[in-house]
Amino acid sequence: MQSAMFLAVQHDCGPMDGGAGSGPKSEEKREKMKRTLLKDWKNRLSYFLQNSSTPGKPKTNKKNKQQTFIKPSPEEAQLWSEAFDELLASKYGLAAFRAFLKSEFCEENIEFWLACEDFKKTKSPQKLSSKAKKIYTDFIEKEAPKEINIDFQTKTLIAQNIQEATSGCFTTAQKRVYSLMENNSYPRFLESEFYQDLCKKPQITTEPHAT
């Protein structure tokens, strides 16, 4: 099922309606595929929510050591719409955004960005070199398992830079991927039903007093 869904989604998280063909049948197929993607997206985020704790109640899982997150208040979630950096600065927001990108089959963008953030903090020249080669192998080179959508010139420059790795090896590529997420995936995340639900304040219901 997932392989079929992958073919229906553009690899750079672009609009889903760019399929070939026209007419009632092709339109019906696209609508069916959109409904399937939406269902899968909701299932993924439902699982994510179930493994998140409520505000003020941290949740630990010692058995399998999976990281869990504290669900934000509606006010905290609303801050994410003010700036993309606000979303990335929140552990829960970042995890939710990753789940969203995974549902669109372009989680390599946020994974590359996070790998670059970790890379820039590396002090040891030996570790810097090994991490640079791993990032290049995972995200940059042709047919890489998580190949990101950047131009050939930038890829060539990175290939040259990692020969003598510095903390700025991937700066240009990271900025382009950040811009792609900020201008493309981020607005769609803010429009998602999942995010809108997070921003809703819980309704307070009062039970009538017994007489």
Side-chain angles (χ1 to χ4, degrees):
M1 176 181 173
Q2 285 193 354
S3 60
M5 290 166 62
F6 177 83
L7 292 173
V9 183
Q10 290 187 10
H11 192 62
D12 62 351
C13 296
M16 291 187 292
D17 57 0
S22 59
K25 286 188 177 181
S26 60
E27 190 68 32
E28 184 180 341
K29 285 183 180 179
R30 283 199 291 270
E31 287 301 319
K32 187 176 180 181
M33 185 61 69
K34 286 181 180 181
R35 288 195 296 269
T36 303
L37 287 170
L38 181 60
K39 183 178 179 181
D40 181 69
W41 155 234
K42 287 182 177 179
N43 288 341
R44 289 176 186 272
L45 284 171
S46 294
Y47 176 81
F48 174 73
L49 281 173
Q50 289 168 7
N51 287 272
S52 303
S53 56
T54 54
K57 294 182 180 179
K59 187 177 179 182
T60 56
N61 192 337
K62 294 181 180 179
K63 188 175 181 180
N64 55 20
K65 296 183 179 180
Q66 288 183 343
Q67 188 176 11
T68 55
F69 305 91
I70 300 174
K71 186 177 179 180
S73 67
E75 291 77 15
E76 289 173 322
Q78 287 168 7
L79 287 175
W80 302 347
S81 66
E82 293 184 3
F84 187 38
D85 285 336
E86 290 284 352
L87 174 65
L88 297 181
S90 164
K91 289 183 179 180
Y92 190 100
L94 177 59
F97 186 60
R98 289 183 75 170
F100 176 71
L101 291 182
K102 194 172 183 67
S103 75
E104 295 201 330
F105 296 95
C106 54
E107 67 269 29
E108 70 275 359
N109 289 330
I110 191 65
E111 289 181 9
F112 171 72
W113 185 85
L114 289 169
C116 290
E117 288 296 289
D118 174 71
F119 178 77
K120 289 188 294 187
K121 297 173 185 175
T122 304
K123 303 298 182 184
S124 165
Q126 290 79 12
K127 287 184 178 180
L128 204 66
S129 178
S130 62
K131 284 185 178 182
K133 290 176 182 177
K134 179 168 176 54
I135 291 174
Y136 181 81
T137 303
D138 289 348
F139 299 100
I140 307 298
E141 69 178 1
K142 188 177 181 181
E143 304 298 332
K146 302 176 184 179
E147 187 177 2
I148 57 173
N149 187 13
I150 56 174
D151 60 274
F152 178 77
Q153 185 178 359
T154 302
K155 287 187 175 187
T156 303
L157 181 62
I158 291 173
Q160 296 171 353
N161 289 342
I162 64 171
Q163 300 306 315
E164 294 183 9
T166 66
S167 59
C169 278
F170 304 100
T171 300
T172 301
Q174 187 184 15
K175 286 180 178 178
R176 293 189 180 183
V177 167
Y178 179 95
S179 178
L180 177 66
M181 293 190 294
E182 183 179 33
N183 296 314
N184 197 338
S185 303
Y186 173 56
R188 288 205 302 277
F189 172 78
L190 296 180
E191 293 172 359
S192 68
E193 184 179 336
F194 166 71
Y195 176 69
Q196 296 299 324
D197 286 343
L198 281 179
C199 293
K200 288 180 182 176
K201 294 183 179 181
Q203 293 182 347
I204 301 174
T205 56
T206 56
E207 295 182 0
H209 294 289
T211 55

